[in-house]
Amino acid sequence: DNIWTNSGEIAGNGIDDDGNGFADDVHGYNFAGNSGDPADDNGHGTHVAGTIAAVGGNGVGVTGVSWSASIMALKFLAADGSGYTSDAVRAIHYAALQRLQYGVNVRVINMSWGGGGFSESLQAAIRAAGEAGILCVAAAGNNAKDNDTASQYPSNYDAANLIAVAATDRSDHLATFSNYGTTTVDLAAPGVSILSTYPNNRYVSLSGTSMATPHVAGVAALAWSVAPEATVAEIRSAILDGVDRLSGLSGKVATGGRLNAYNTLRLLEARAVHPPKIASLAASPAS
């Protein structure tokens, strides 16, 4: 129910009704198949989306961190999880285009994927998204490696609007599989046995930095919902400064801490980014 709908497009007529260069992009776009149907044929994307914005308060399944956020589905990976960096670049540019030229309030791009070497065009696309007012949140990777010495992309790109995320378990320890990095990974978030939405009306538990990343993206969306005039830098700083600092994460991630949604909102209030009306919201969608 929280999937974004493009009001300027008519579904199924094969025409680019809104003139944005993409026909039938009613809920996003499939850059892997060059079609207006971005439906998930793998499961990973549905799980990630549910952590960000599964409908809350309906007594069904799970609740997203930002349960009234809208999800724009941008698909560039095939059913087997493979894809091209060039299509990832196109997807990011699409999101920025929607914000800049069509007034869609895109504020966060969740990037729960990784692989491949350094790409100048992908780094440029991420930076361009930042100039458009969009925060990018990327998974640190699942190889138990130090990203300071073995770069993982896209999380290792040098961009002021990027947050790199490691995974923690239920005991607030770094997950055994999670990549880390004192200079290249910003913070950690829950990423072990995360229950979320799955295709065909299912709910499953998955683990990975892919599961940690949408927690951070969801907090960013939640933060913008209560501080809509905040800049990318302000939201990013509130997320990183608001972590719970934990001994097990010291020397593993730059902040030495795990995501805390409530602290993020409190910091935005304290910095007068938004009028102080957030106390009742802060406690409800995420913990």
Side-chain angles (χ1 to χ4, degrees):
D1 288 344
N2 282 339
I3 291 291
W4 170 73
T5 297
N6 182 356
S7 60
E9 200 71 23
I10 299 172
N13 66 358
I15 299 172
D16 178 17
D17 299 288
D18 58 4
N20 68 356
F22 301 90
D24 292 336
D25 55 323
V26 177
H27 300 299
Y29 200 75
N30 181 343
F31 297 90
N34 290 310
S35 79
D37 180 12
D40 181 13
D41 50 12
N42 175 277
H44 183 275
T46 301
H47 196 277
V48 166
T51 297
I52 297 171
V55 174
N58 60 1
V60 177
V62 298
T63 296
V65 175
S66 183
W67 67 36
S68 59
S70 180
I71 296 290
M72 177 186 289
L74 303 179
K75 175 179 172 61
F76 79 96
L77 298 175
D80 64 358
S82 66
Y84 295 96
T85 299
S86 57
D87 287 336
V89 170
R90 294 171 64 207
I92 293 170
H93 283 317
Y94 177 95
L97 173 75
Q98 289 297 329
R99 176 167 174 79
L100 290 175
Q101 295 190 24
Y102 294 89
V104 182
N105 190 31
V106 182
R107 300 314 309 258
V108 188
I109 296 175
N110 186 91
M111 300 193 297
S112 285
W113 49 271
F118 177 85
S119 164
E120 188 69 44
S121 61
L122 182 53
Q123 178 171 265
I126 292 170
R127 290 176 174 177
E131 294 171 2
I134 300 172
L135 179 70
C136 294
V137 187
N142 303 324
N143 303 308
K145 292 184 177 180
D146 186 347
N147 287 1
D148 291 356
T149 58
S151 295
Q152 166 80 14
Y153 297 107
S155 69
N156 268 65
Y157 282 120
D158 180 14
N161 63 313
L162 182 67
I163 296 178
V165 187
T168 51
D169 61 23
R170 64 186 299 171
S171 300
D172 268 339
H173 298 141
L174 186 74
T176 57
F177 56 77
S178 180
N179 287 9
Y180 53 92
T182 56
T183 62
T184 55
V185 180
D186 295 297
L187 81 168
V192 176
S193 299
I194 304 301
L195 184 69
S196 189
T197 49
Y198 212 66
N200 300 317
N201 296 315
R202 297 168 59 201
Y203 297 88
V204 303
S205 290
L206 297 178
S207 298
T209 54
S210 281
M211 284 62 251
T213 300
H215 282 90
V216 179
V219 169
L222 180 64
W224 258 304
S225 76
V226 298
E229 302 305 316
T231 65
V232 168
E234 287 168 335
I235 297 295
R236 186 179 186 276
S237 293
I239 289 172
L240 300 186
D241 293 345
V243 299
D244 285 330
R245 288 171 176 81
L246 304 168
S247 59
L249 295 175
S250 178
K252 296 295 185 181
V253 296
T255 60
R258 186 253 304 124
L259 178 72
N260 184 307
Y262 184 75
N263 286 351
T264 297
L265 300 186
R266 280 297 190 189
L267 284 171
L268 289 172
E269 178 184 14
R271 296 169 184 175
V273 173
H274 185 273
K277 299 178 181 178
I278 65 174
S280 62
L281 292 177
S284 53
S287 59

